[in-house]
Amino acid sequence: MKASHTLTVATLALAISGVVNASSHREAPFITANPKVDATDFYAFRSYEEGREDYVTLIANYNPLQDPYGGPNYFSLAADALYEMHIDNTGDGVEDLTFQFQVTNELGNDGSGLTLAIDGKDMAVPLKNIGAVTSSNSDSLNFKESYALTMVKGDRRTGSKHVVKNAATGSGSFAKPFDNVGEKTFGEQAYADYADSFIHEVTLTGCPVGSQSGRVFVGQRKDPFSVNLGEIFDLVNTNPLGSTDGEADDLADKNVTTFALEVPITCLTNDNDSGIIGSWITASLPQVRILDPSPKNLQADVSAGAWTQVSRLGMPLVNEVVIGLPDKNLFNASEPKDDTQFLDYVTSPTLPVLLNALFGVTAPTAEGRPDLVAAFLTGLEGVNANGSVGEMVRLNTSLPVTDKGDQHNLGVAAGDVAGFPNGRRPGDDVVDAEIRVAMGLLCHLDLGLCDPEDAPSGDLAYTDGVTQSAAQFDATFPYLITPIGGSSN
């Protein structure tokens, strides 16, 4: 590590520890009506599975607040959507690489649907499965999902497209597991093995020769985000200076749908000198949707027209607690290169003033909030600044990996340079971090951004009362743990 990196990381240690463990569940008015394309969390980090340190893992979660018992239809993905992961490796806030996922849904029995012979007639069954399911036998599934993965170099819509191949079959199609409906379907403790069979080795045909191997998984996982969601959005109905583990995690019984992709570092960075990449995720829908008055099979509408972005996520909690209500839908439709249109929300934030009204703490007075500009829009000098101005997750791939057992949930703030805000790992506790940064924590560090007197309450240990750590996750890809089953007996 360069000396400048060491110095900056040390001075950041106390600051970032409480900045941002955020997620993006139901964050904007329009997206609440379209949960299948609602991005909830995004992670980007150097892989810490043993022997995989030359890879970056990207994890995008969608479809929030899934109740495990949510049958009979459970939580399929949108077949008319385009789910995307974007990489900026040139520091201009524009994607240089995009990984596009498109899902296909079909009925069982090769698309015709499972039937039972009743009174001499073949009657379609009402359920998505009618018997036990294993990795080797899915004949009883009446609903199956698969997906195609494409790597786009250059502009996401006009760049060159490269089909990502299934290394085992040579095809461009990948199977997705059925949701964890319960133990009678999958057998006690068997869902983990079933889901693992859907981790696919891939050939990244658009990457340089020698950097084309990777892995992908798309399927249901236990929601990795931890927060006392109800109390936080009930005017912070908790003690913000209380114990860091004294509250209940409202997402402890929820699942999400995960897109996990592991890509060689050399493919993502394109050998740029800094090794820093910016990344974010989106979901788009066709611009025109017409309801079908006589829907057939799985289709109830007809979609057409240009892809229109309806969901966006980089750094956590930005749209929830930074962007004003009138502009939340616009933020979800925008790109990092255009984020100067939201600059006032960062330089004149409302959250500190609201906390002042609720708890009497003093809002920071630093003009233009250069601390928040660095945290949200430019990255931190000596750590992950990449020259662009735009909201995204910035990851310095040249900084070392920290093994799972040695990770600190406060990341850089605790001297763990592989953690938040240098990317984001599943175990990084970012809610506490973001609240503290919003209240001026960076002004209390020797960063030259602002002074302690600019943030009189900036050194307080704000917390939502729910702890997140690496111990809650697996040490191997895709890192997020097995989803909760719909029944246990």
Side-chain angles (χ1 to χ4, degrees), residues 147-388:
Y147 58 95
L149 175 56
T150 303
M151 175 178 167
V152 183
K153 303 176 77 170
D155 183 272
R156 67 179 80 178
R157 300 292 174 257
T158 61
S160 60
K161 296 181 180 293
H162 304 267
V163 175
V164 176
K165 299 291 184 67
N166 187 319
T169 66
S171 77
S173 180
F174 303 88
K176 172 185 175 293
F178 188 42
D179 289 348
N180 189 3
V181 303
E183 289 182 6
K184 190 170 184 179
T185 294
F186 291 104
E188 187 176 358
Q189 303 299 318
Y191 188 85
D193 292 337
Y194 166 76
D196 283 349
S197 71
F198 293 87
I199 297 175
H200 303 286
E201 299 284 340
V202 301
T203 302
L204 299 157
T205 57
C207 293
V209 174
S211 301
Q212 294 187 339
S213 65
R215 292 183 289 185
V216 68
F217 171 84
V218 176
Q220 192 180 51
R221 297 279 91 184
K222 163 71 180 68
D223 193 324
F225 188 57
S226 299
V227 66
N228 59 336
L229 195 63
E231 291 179 343
I232 287 295
F233 288 107
D234 180 22
L235 301 178
V236 193
N237 187 17
T238 185
N239 178 7
L241 298 177
S243 169
T244 58
D245 61 355
E247 299 286 355
D249 174 17
D250 288 340
L251 303 183
D253 60 350
K254 305 296 182 183
N255 294 326
V256 292
T257 301
T258 291
F259 294 75
L261 179 64
E262 189 181 56
V263 183
I265 290 174
T266 51
C267 177
L268 296 180
T269 61
N270 196 27
D271 295 326
N272 70 38
D273 292 337
S274 70
I276 297 173
I277 58 173
S279 56
W280 66 99
I281 59 174
T282 62
S284 299
L285 295 170
Q287 196 167 32
V288 178
R289 175 180 291 175
I290 301 174
L291 297 180
D292 187 342
S294 301
K296 297 176 179 63
N297 289 336
L298 300 174
Q299 283 297 118
D301 57 24
V302 177
S303 299
W307 289 116
T308 304
Q309 185 179 305
V310 297
S311 180
R312 167 190 171 187
L313 180 59
M315 292 280 280
L317 277 184
V318 171
N319 209 354
E320 280 88 344
V321 300
V322 177
I323 305 299
L325 186 58
D327 287 326
K328 287 183 179 294
N329 291 333
L330 177 62
F331 181 84
N332 269 351
S334 66
E335 302 175 45
K337 66 181 179 62
D338 300 319
D339 279 350
T340 53
Q341 65 184 314
F342 305 114
L343 185 60
D344 284 349
Y345 288 121
V346 178
T347 58
S348 302
T350 57
L351 178 61
V353 177
L354 292 173
L355 291 176
N356 166 257
L358 292 170
F359 299 105
V361 292
T362 303
T365 59
E367 185 176 357
R369 292 304 302 269
D371 53 330
L372 293 188
V373 171
F376 289 110
L377 297 178
T378 65
L380 297 159
E381 289 298 330
V383 178
N384 61 353
N386 67 345
S388 65

Side-chain angles (χ1 to χ4, degrees), residues 1 5 9 12 16 19-20 42-48 56-57 274-279 315-316 374-375 379-380 382-386 392-402 408 410-413 415-426 428 430:
M1 188 192 306
H5 286 161
V9 168
L12 282 174
I16 308 303
V19 186
V20 187
F42 176 50
Y43 306 88
F45 54 94
R46 283 188 66 178
S47 300
Y48 52 86
V56 165
T57 295
S274 70
I276 297 173
I277 58 173
S279 56
M315 292 280 280
L380 297 159
V383 178
N384 61 353
N386 67 345
M392 63 182 79
V393 174
R394 290 171 168 86
L395 173 65
N396 188 336
T397 63
S398 67
L399 293 178
V401 176
T402 303
H408 199 292
L410 298 182
V412 172
D416 181 1
V417 299
F420 184 84
N422 180 37
R424 181 186 176 193
R425 301 167 304 195
D428 290 336
V430 293

